Every structure is written in C-alpha cells, then in structure tokens.
Amino acid sequence: MSSPFGLHRVVEPAGVLPQQAWRLSTEDRTWPDEVVVDVEVLNLDAASYRQLREQHGEPEKVRRAVLDIVTERGKMHNPVTGSGGMLLGTVRAAGPESPLGLKPGDRIATLVSLTLTPLRIDDELASWSGESEQVPCRGTAVLFGRSIAAVLPDDLPDELALSVLDVCGAPALTDRVVREAGVEPSVLVLGGGGKSGSLSLAAARRAGAGRLVALVPTQAEADAVRASGLADDVVLADARDPVAVSEAVGTPVDVTVVCVDVPGCEHGAVLATADGGTIIFFSMATSFSAAALGAEGLAADVRMLIGNGYVPGHATFALDLLRTTPGVRDLFERRERQTPP
Amino acid sequence: MSSPFGLHRVVEPAGVLPQQAWRLSTEDRTWPDEVVVDVEVLNLDAASYRQLREQHGEPEKVRRAVLDIVTERGKMHNPVTGSGGMLLGTVRAAGPESPLGLKPGDRIATLVSLTLTPLRIDDELASWSGESEQVPCRGTAVLFGRSIAAVLPDDLPDELALSVLDVCGAPALTDRVVREAGVEPSVLVLGGGGKSGSLSLAAARRAGAGRLVALVPTQAEADAVRASGLADDVVLADARDPVAVSEAVGTPVDVTVVCVDVPGCEHGAVLATADGGTIIFFSMATSFSAAALGAEGLAADVRMLIGNGYVPGHATFALDLLRTTPGVRDLFERRERQTPP
C-alpha cells in the first residue's frame, strides 16, 4: 500500500520519512495516489547552488555533481547543505486516487522541497551550463498524496508567479488569524515592504483588519509602501530593537505578523502585541527559545504561532491577492527591478 | 515615569530591555509599581553554575565570581552562559500601583529570570560555601509591574512547589487550548511521564479531553504513567522517530503537547496530529525551522504554538493540579527519588 507521505518510496534507511531518507526509489511503477511529472526546470535552492559552486568550481563539474547526487539519492538533496529547491514541469499522469486535483497537461510548480521529491534525470542535464540555479532538465518526478503543487497561471510571468508561490503560506495564515481575531482587529506587519509582508498586508485588509500598520527599516521602503496604499500607517524602525518597535507602533496591536528575515525580532513583536493578541512568526530566522523566553520575561499573554507554510488553498489565494491588489504587484515588481539577476 | 518592563532600571546601554542590559540600577528609590523583596535564596541556573565551577574551580572563587557579577551588573546574569536562575524571598514592600497582588510578608518565588531582576547582595554571600546552585543570600531584589512571582504554598515542601512552578506554563496553556478545541478533543502528550508532561495530562483531563494518550520512551516510565491513571492509553516510542510515533498513536489526535526535552520531535508531532489540530511545543529543544518546514513538507494543516511560559494564573493552576491529582504528585515524587541531589 502507498503512503500519502511517500514512505513507500523510501529505499534507505527503511522506516524514515522521504526527507530524512538517503535514497528514494524512482521506479516507473506508480501508485494510485501518485502524480507523475515531466520535469522542465529545477530551481536549486540558493544555498545549495552556492555550496556546489564553492566545492566544485568549474560549471561542468557542478553539472556532474548535481547529476551524481540525483543518481545516487533519487532526489536533488544536497548532502552538505541539506537543502533542495523546487521544480517546474507538466503533469504526465495523475493516479485515480490522487487528491491533488491535477490532470495531465497541467503546468505546475512543486511547493514541497526537492529533498523529498523522487526525481530521475533523463537527459544528463545536457541543456544546463552549470552556471545558474535554474536547471533546464528533461526528467521524471513523483508527487505523493500529501505533496503540494500549484498550477502555474496563464496570465502572469513564470518568475512573478514563482516569487508569489514561494511565500504563499504567509497571506493564507494571516487571513485565517485575522478573521478569528474578532471585529476589525488592529494588525502590524514587521517587514511590510517585502514579498511575504506585502501579501500579508493585503490579506489582513481583505480579512477585515482595523488599523493596519507596516513597519519597515528604510525611508525608501517606507515611501514605496506608502505609495502602495497597503497600510494605514507606515512606521520606520529597526525590527531588532524592541523598544524602538514598541514606540514606533504605539498602541499595541491585536495581531502581529513577523516577515523580517533577520534574527532578533522576537522581543519587538512581543512588546508590540496586546495581551490576548497573536503573533505569527513567518521569518525562518525566528528563534524558538527567544520567542518563548521573551514572552515569559515580559509576562506577555500572547499566542505565538509558528508560521506553517501550508494552508489549504494558499497558492490560489496568494495569486489572487496579487492580481486584485495593485499595490502588491507594484512592490513585487519594484523588488524584481532591484534584485540583480 | 516607571515602565512595567523595567526600562527605568536600565543603566547601560540605554534604551534596551532589562534582559539585554549590561547593567541595572539597584538604587533604593522605588517606583509606585515596583515590589521590593528580601532575598532568602538564589537558585542559580544549572548551566550558569557549571560554567562558574569550570572557570573558577575553588568554591571560594566561585563565591567571589557571583558577588562580582552581581556588583558589576546589578543582576545575577552570567555573561558567559547568558543565563540566570530564580530566587526565593519575602516581600518587604509593594508599591501602591503594583498589579502583582503581593503584600509584605508573602513568601514568594520569582518566575521571571534573574537575568532581568535588579539584585543587590548585602551579606557578601557569607553563608554560601560556593559548592551548590542553592545560594543562601541576604539581599534586595526588585520586581516590575510586569514581573511574575508566585506565593509559595504553606502545604507543600519548597522543593516540590518550586519544581511545579518551574513548568507551570505548560498545564495552563494546555488547559486553554483543549477548551478551545471543541467537544472532547483527543489529546496526545509526548513525554507524558515528565514534570510538564504529567501536569499537562492532568490539565487536559480536567479541561474535558476525550481520548488521552501519553507517549513515553521506556517501559519503566510507561508502567509509572499507567499506575498514575493520568492517561487512557500509554504508548512506548522514541519521540524523535516520526513513523514510530505515528504508528504508536494510531488515529491522529486533535491536540498534541510536546514535553520531550530532546531535539528532533517536531515531525513526529506533526504526523500524530489531525488536520485542523493544534500542536503546543513546550520543549526548549524545539527547532523553529524543523517545525515550520516539517509541517509544510507533510502538507499538514496544523496550528503550531510556541509554548509561552506565561499564562495568567498559571502558578496557582499548576499547584492546584498537583494537590488534587494524586497521580501527578506520585510522578513528581518518583522523579525526585531518582534525581541525585
């Protein structure tokens, strides 16, 4: 019997989850709840690609290293960094018991890591120079019953859609928490000018937020968020300075969403949140112990959520926010212009 | 004006919270929302005491080191480990605006860290040999408006009361989450035989849990928890093995409480929890990123809470659970017998 978590594809060591496994099976036999994907592009995780470049130097050797990893492990799971990436492809076949709602011909992006996705490469990566994280690739990948994949929209450039999908858990969970928080709760987004931050602002507004505050680190970013119209108040402070955050925000808010990807933002979030309020930590730089001990040290009766990247319907929800909120798209396109290729 | 967080006692650097400060003021002037405490015993954090012993060797030098730290910093904040401990004492004076509900003569334990508690030592620690984490001490400490202190009960030995107070956030938050989770939610406690685990089992039962499962690592602990009657089912598994946890628990539960103080329990908690359910992570060994990425990788729509050590009324609630649930006291006393002094 197949497992929705892919246990049936684990070759070694036996009995662990696919992400922990050293090697996955890429055998052609497919199970009734699996989806088979014709791979088009692998997007290597930035940390993984950097490590491979540092270790192997020449692009041709980097190409060979990726091939070797996938051949040996049955997945693109960098053994040094522990990270993977995601892929783009087209659905070849969807098993009769797959709950993912995909059909042959759908162009999709996987939203679960390559570190748990069975992958076989069929073209020796002949079209990849080894000089970019974007790896053109002919190959076969498998999605499990509990995998997550999003159908790529026709009306948006791939790059823009992928950058929304990358952070789509944040607006979906913000939506849920703001709706649960009562009538017109006040909401603060730390890092409101970023990708997850701007989507979270738009989600909070749509979910019925009252006063909506964006905290940003620079005047330029403050100007951009003000121009976007996504927040009622835009305040300037270093999110790592709890006293500065608290003074900038003023009256503590009902819901705080942390989207600043630097360590040390836990205490500011606690101070800025009213008793009985909720903090959602989306930043992967969050320290569990700093949050737990910080709230205790401040005797703050706040509910603190670990931002789960998965909420049902999150991809559709985030893409729809981008389409219907001009300010969000403006901020995304501003960032793209600023990021070197 | 005084700050409920103690900002008015920060000497340097200016503008940070007391825990981040290098030095706090122990001046005799007290503010209207402060409470002044005659110190009786300092309980040094175990990691801090070990470090001091390793660095200074002789007990007399350890004694001198603690004195020097407190004299220089105005608080017992070990600069190497970053940790403190807690203290026992008697309330000398409570300001008219203090919200803590304490009165002169109350014997109390502080539940916030010594790293943020202004402290002056008045007896040069003359009664302490330097050979134990328990430091008899005549001195003066200050509590702020938002500090947390618990009145020590008359009917329990100090040691037992302190060991309950040490983990009192866990049962209080478990109570709240189980009550919010609907009618007779099923509840799993990972590490159900420990201090926070047994109190959480008792809290879940009182809050109306349906099926109540304790997961423990050894047969001896399973026997003890079974004898305590705190759980409906007691199952044996390594909490770090997600597949083993999932198989031992069977049908996923509505609420999972993680009280196992070893790293790597995040994925087991996710697998054991039903979609729409809640996980409370109390273990300080929890990894934020392992929890966030684990739930995403398993496409698990679970709510994940960072266990906040502070819930209003938590100390009274936990002590009451111990008094009224014989099985909890049995497990606490069993642990005390096993722990070398």
Side-chain angles (χ1 to χ4, degrees):
Chain A
M1 215 180 74
S2 66
S3 143
F5 304 109
L7 296 173
H8 59 289
R9 289 267 181 185
V10 171
V11 178
E12 66 164 293
V16 303
L17 291 167
Q19 188 157 36
Q20 278 88 50
W22 177 255
R23 193 153 63 91
L24 300 180
S25 163
T26 58
E27 64 173 334
D28 269 332
R29 170 185 179 187
T30 57
W31 299 81
D33 66 347
E34 290 185 338
V35 168
V36 182
V37 179
D38 285 321
V39 180
E40 179 182 325
V41 179
L42 306 176
N43 266 294
L44 301 186
D45 170 74
S48 172
Y49 179 70
R50 195 180 319 118
Q51 187 277 327
L52 291 166
R53 282 303 294 258
E54 286 169 5
Q55 182 180 345
H56 299 285
E58 293 167 37
E60 170 53 27
K61 289 189 179 160
V62 173
R63 190 183 70 80
R64 172 50 52 191
V66 170
L67 261 179
D68 287 347
I69 290 171
V70 176
T71 304
E72 181 172 353
R73 306 197 64 174
K75 56 178 178 174
M76 181 50 214
H77 187 166
N78 182 324
V80 178
T81 62
S83 58
M86 43 86 76
L87 64 81
L88 268 69
T90 303
V91 173
R92 183 193 304 164
E97 293 170 21
S98 167
L100 302 184
L102 300 173
K103 56 181 193 308
D106 282 346
R107 262 194 94 222
I108 62 162
T110 58
L111 303 185
V112 289
S113 171
L114 288 179
T115 59
L116 53 89
T117 304
L119 173 67
R120 197 184 64 225
I121 293 175
D122 297 325
D123 68 348
E124 299 264 311
L125 302 179
S127 312
W128 182 45
S129 67
E131 290 174 301
S132 148
E133 297 162 21
Q134 311 273 325
V135 183
C137 166
R138 202 156 48 71
T140 304
V142 176
L143 304 179
F144 308 127
R146 294 280 289 235
S147 294
I148 324 172
V151 176
L152 287 167
D154 297 329
D155 61 332
L156 298 172
D158 279 4
E159 273 302 305
L160 181 62
L162 289 176
S163 90
V164 171
L165 293 173
D166 190 35
V167 295
C168 65
L173 188 54
T174 298
D175 172 75
R176 184 186 281 181
V177 168
V178 171
R179 285 181 198 279
E180 288 170 357
V183 179
E184 297 194 357
S186 52
V187 177
L188 164 68
V189 178
L190 299 181
K195 294 195 318 174
S196 57
S198 57
L199 282 166
S200 296
L201 284 169
R205 174 70 80 210
R206 194 193 277 192
R211 181 185 174 223
L212 189 50
V213 186
L215 185 140
V216 299
T218 65
Q219 187 61 51
E221 198 154 325
D223 294 342
V225 177
R226 265 191 205 105
S228 77
L230 292 175
D232 299 319
D233 293 338
V234 179
V235 299
L236 206 63
D238 183 340
R240 295 165 298 186
D241 180 341
V243 177
V245 169
S246 169
E247 286 172 355
V249 173
T251 309
V253 299
D254 300 309
V255 177
T256 296
V257 185
V258 181
C259 295
V260 179
D261 237 342
V262 297
C265 301
E266 300 85 0
H267 293 190
V270 169
L271 272 192
T273 307
D275 269 3
T278 299
I279 304 169
I280 319 175
F281 289 102
F282 278 111
S283 163
M284 293 303 288
T286 303
S287 155
F288 181 89
S289 55
L293 297 177
E296 182 175 303
L298 298 166
D301 182 19
V302 291
R303 188 169 65 141
M304 297 185 288
L305 296 177
I306 296 174
N308 181 349
Y310 177 67
V311 175
H314 59 346
T316 308
F317 182 75
L319 290 168
D320 189 49
L321 276 177
L322 179 91
R323 287 192 192 96
T324 56
T325 321
V328 171
R329 187 155 181 171
D330 291 347
L331 287 174
F332 266 70
E333 291 178 343
R334 175 175 176 273
R335 291 184 84 81
E336 278 183 16
R337 285 193 306 275
Q338 290 180 336
T339 312
Chain B
M1 214 181 74
S2 66
S3 143
F5 304 109
L7 296 174
H8 58 287
R9 289 267 181 185
V10 171
V11 178
E12 67 164 292
V16 303
L17 291 167
Q19 188 157 36
Q20 277 88 51
W22 177 254
R23 193 153 62 91
L24 300 180
S25 163
T26 58
E27 65 173 335
D28 269 332
R29 170 185 178 189
T30 58
W31 299 80
D33 66 347
E34 290 184 340
V35 168
V36 182
V37 179
D38 285 320
V39 180
E40 180 182 324
V41 178
L42 306 176
N43 266 293
L44 302 186
D45 170 73
S48 172
Y49 179 69
R50 195 180 319 119
Q51 187 277 327
L52 291 166
R53 282 303 294 258
E54 284 169 8
Q55 183 181 343
H56 299 284
E58 293 168 37
E60 170 54 26
K61 289 188 178 160
V62 173
R63 189 183 70 81
R64 173 48 53 190
V66 170
L67 262 179
D68 287 348
I69 290 172
V70 176
T71 303
E72 180 172 352
R73 306 197 64 174
K75 56 178 179 173
M76 182 50 214
H77 187 166
N78 183 323
V80 178
T81 62
S83 59
M86 43 85 76
L87 63 81
L88 268 68
T90 303
V91 172
R92 183 193 306 165
E97 293 171 20
S98 167
L100 301 184
L102 299 174
K103 57 182 191 307
D106 282 346
R107 263 194 93 221
I108 61 163
T110 58
L111 302 186
V112 289
S113 171
L114 288 179
T115 60
L116 52 87
T117 304
L119 173 67
R120 198 183 63 222
I121 292 175
D122 297 325
D123 68 348
E124 300 265 310
L125 301 179
S127 313
W128 182 45
S129 67
E131 290 175 302
S132 148
E133 297 161 21
Q134 312 274 325
V135 183
C137 166
R138 202 156 47 73
T140 304
V142 175
L143 304 179
F144 308 127
R146 294 280 290 234
S147 295
I148 323 172
V151 175
L152 286 168
D154 298 329
D155 60 332
L156 298 172
D158 279 4
E159 273 302 306
L160 181 61
L162 289 176
S163 88
V164 172
L165 294 173
D166 191 35
V167 295
C168 65
L173 187 54
T174 299
D175 172 76
R176 184 186 281 181
V177 168
V178 171
R179 286 181 198 279
E180 287 170 359
V183 179
E184 298 194 357
S186 52
V187 177
L188 164 67
V189 178
L190 298 182
K195 294 196 317 174
S196 57
S198 57
L199 282 165
S200 296
L201 284 169
R205 174 70 81 211
R206 195 193 276 192
R211 180 184 174 225
L212 189 50
V213 186
L215 185 141
V216 298
T218 64
Q219 187 61 51
E221 199 154 325
D223 294 342
V225 177
R226 266 194 205 105
S228 77
L230 292 175
D232 298 320
D233 294 337
V234 180
V235 299
L236 206 62
D238 182 341
R240 296 164 298 185
D241 180 341
V243 178
V245 169
S246 170
E247 285 173 355
V249 173
T251 310
V253 299
D254 300 308
V255 177
T256 295
V257 185
V258 181
C259 295
V260 179
D261 237 343
V262 295
C265 301
E266 300 85 0
H267 293 190
V270 169
L271 272 192
T273 307
D275 269 3
T278 299
I279 303 170
I280 318 175
F281 288 103
F282 279 111
S283 164
M284 293 302 289
T286 303
S287 156
F288 182 89
S289 56
L293 296 177
E296 182 174 305
L298 297 167
D301 182 18
V302 291
R303 188 170 66 142
M304 296 185 288
L305 296 176
I306 296 174
N308 181 350
Y310 177 67
V311 176
H314 60 345
T316 308
F317 181 75
L319 290 168
D320 189 48
L321 275 177
L322 179 91
R323 287 192 192 96
T324 56
T325 321
V328 172
R329 187 156 182 172
D330 291 347
L331 287 175
F332 267 70
E333 291 178 343
R334 174 175 176 274
R335 291 184 84 81
E336 278 183 16
R337 285 193 305 273
Q338 290 180 336
T339 312

